[in-house]
Amino acid sequence: MSFTADIQDNSIFKVLMLDANIIIPYLDKKHADTKETEEELKRLREIGISFYYSQPCFLELLNYWRIKWLFNACILLKKNVPHLHKKFYGIVSNAETEFHNGDRNKYLYDHEVKQIRSLLSSRPELWARLITTLNGKMASLIADLTKINVIYAKFNSEIYPLTDKDNWPKWERAYQFIERYGLASNDAAILNMAIYPTIDGFVSNDGDMEFAVKQGAYETTKFFGL
Amino acid sequence: MNKDQIKKEIEETSQVISKLNDETEFNNSVLKIIKDLGLDKANSGKSSPKIEDKVARQAEL
């Protein structure tokens, strides 16, 4: 991944919309792409570029962090609690190895989280108590993003309106992205929110997104990715 | 934004991200839960593999 050179050479880029797969490695020091992403974004910040993210992107961030913290709890259970079912240790060990090796981009898949919750249900209160450790973490995430000047793109913002009200995002365009390019619904929603005159470019590390852009979903000269 | 402002902002960003990645408090909370529920190694004799097997079968369904 290297998008800074293209952007640095062109003064028209001032405001970039970031995909979740860029913000996640920027924030999560354990992610395989963290160092590279940090360096790229740091270079862009140095030349005065602003970063924005949209609501569907934020939902992905919340889910990533929910699972990250639950996974941390599972690692501690694996190390400190004997005699849980062997399947629990197997799921956690496998996920730990694959994430560490860069073979998966999330700590646990949703079906694994559900399976772990079931496997831990023999221990009354355990899952419910573990959930309490998430308290406050989701709200603080958006605050932390604001502190580091990665800004939530509010369409009704008085400070930086992305577009006038008549041109706010419409679901119809997201439907078209799904129907024409086979994008996942969350990807379609994220791309939909990157298409505004006030957004100079969109940065994503997603192969599906790149495919859609090459097929005409977004201006190729404004897309930066793989 | 001048160079000093940029430098300051990058330093602050680094601090925020470091804090976000600090797991100490979270880990202590989880370890306390484990201890409170008597699941730590010191209480390992209280486990019941039969219950775990039953739950695992349910999880597979």
Side-chain angles (χ1 to χ4, degrees):
Chain A
M1 181 175 63
S2 178
F3 45 83
T4 48
D6 294 335
I7 297 171
Q8 278 177 311
D9 291 344
N10 197 329
S11 61
I12 69 159
F13 295 108
K14 293 293 178 195
V15 179
L16 295 177
M17 188 73 90
L18 303 182
D19 198 351
N21 52 50
I22 299 296
I23 299 176
I24 284 168
Y26 186 45
L27 297 182
D28 183 5
K29 293 280 189 188
K30 287 185 177 175
H31 198 284
D33 296 332
T34 189
K35 195 174 177 185
E36 196 179 5
T37 308
E38 187 182 11
E39 286 172 1
E40 299 260 351
L41 295 189
K42 190 176 163 187
R43 279 198 285 272
L44 295 179
R45 183 65 86 201
E46 284 171 350
I47 58 170
I49 287 182
S50 302
F51 302 133
Y52 280 75
Y53 65 97
S54 59
Q55 186 190 49
C57 171
F58 185 55
L59 294 176
E60 285 197 22
L61 297 177
L62 287 178
N63 201 40
Y64 181 89
W65 246 261
R66 173 187 74 103
I67 289 177
K68 174 182 163 71
W69 289 116
L70 289 175
F71 182 68
N72 276 11
C74 288
I75 295 289
L76 290 169
L77 290 180
K78 183 172 84 84
K79 286 180 182 167
N80 294 284
V81 181
H83 304 306
L84 293 171
H85 195 277
K86 62 183 179 183
K87 279 183 182 296
F88 168 79
Y89 300 109
I91 292 168
V92 176
S93 294
N94 182 53
E96 196 174 16
T97 303
E98 287 189 3
F99 188 83
H100 180 73
N101 292 340
D103 294 333
R104 59 164 76 192
N105 60 10
K106 55 175 73 175
Y107 291 93
L108 292 167
Y109 298 114
D110 284 340
H111 77 275
E112 291 173 323
V113 176
K114 291 177 195 303
Q115 202 172 7
I116 284 171
R117 181 168 52 77
S118 293
L119 288 167
L120 296 181
S121 66
S122 65
R123 304 292 178 171
E125 296 184 46
L126 178 55
W127 185 257
R129 289 285 303 273
L130 288 179
I131 299 301
T132 64
T133 59
L134 297 177
N135 190 27
K137 293 207 174 298
M138 301 298 108
S140 68
L141 184 59
I142 195 164
D144 284 342
L145 284 165
T146 305
K147 281 181 201 165
I148 64 172
N149 289 314
V150 179
I151 307 298
Y152 179 50
K154 285 177 72 175
F155 283 88
N156 59 352
S157 168
E158 291 177 5
I159 300 167
Y160 190 83
L162 291 175
T163 182
D164 57 79
K165 197 170 181 179
D166 291 341
N167 291 309
W168 282 4
K170 293 181 176 60
W171 277 109
E172 285 72 15
R173 192 164 60 194
Y175 300 158
Q176 287 174 5
F177 289 153
I178 298 169
E179 292 170 0
R180 289 183 189 170
Y181 311 111
L183 279 180
S185 57
N186 54 331
D187 287 343
I190 289 170
L191 188 59
N192 187 27
M193 293 199 173
I195 303 179
Y196 288 96
T198 41
I199 300 293
D200 300 319
F202 175 53
V203 186
S204 173
N205 200 19
D206 185 304
D208 292 340
M209 215 62 108
E210 187 185 30
F211 171 81
V213 171
K214 283 181 177 172
Q215 299 298 312
Y218 194 81
E219 280 185 53
T220 52
T221 54
K222 294 170 70 176
F223 177 80
F224 305 95
L226 298 171
Chain B
M1 203 186 300
N2 63 40
K3 281 186 179 177
D4 286 342
Q5 285 173 315
I6 290 169
K7 191 179 172 187
K8 189 180 172 206
E9 185 191 305
I10 288 170
E11 280 173 8
E12 286 171 354
T13 296
S14 178
Q15 286 171 8
V16 171
I17 292 176
S18 291
K19 197 177 170 193
L20 182 65
N21 283 270
D22 185 357
E23 296 166 356
T24 311
E25 190 181 338
F26 176 85
N27 289 353
N28 287 339
S29 299
V30 174
L31 291 172
K32 184 175 183 306
I33 289 168
I34 290 170
K35 195 174 177 185
D36 286 351
L37 296 178
L39 300 175
D40 50 328
K41 285 175 182 168
N43 291 289
S44 62
K46 295 178 182 175
S47 66
S48 173
K50 282 184 180 176
I51 293 175
E52 309 298 350
D53 287 341
K54 186 179 174 185
V55 169
R57 283 196 297 276
Q58 288 171 344
E60 286 170 355
L61 293 176

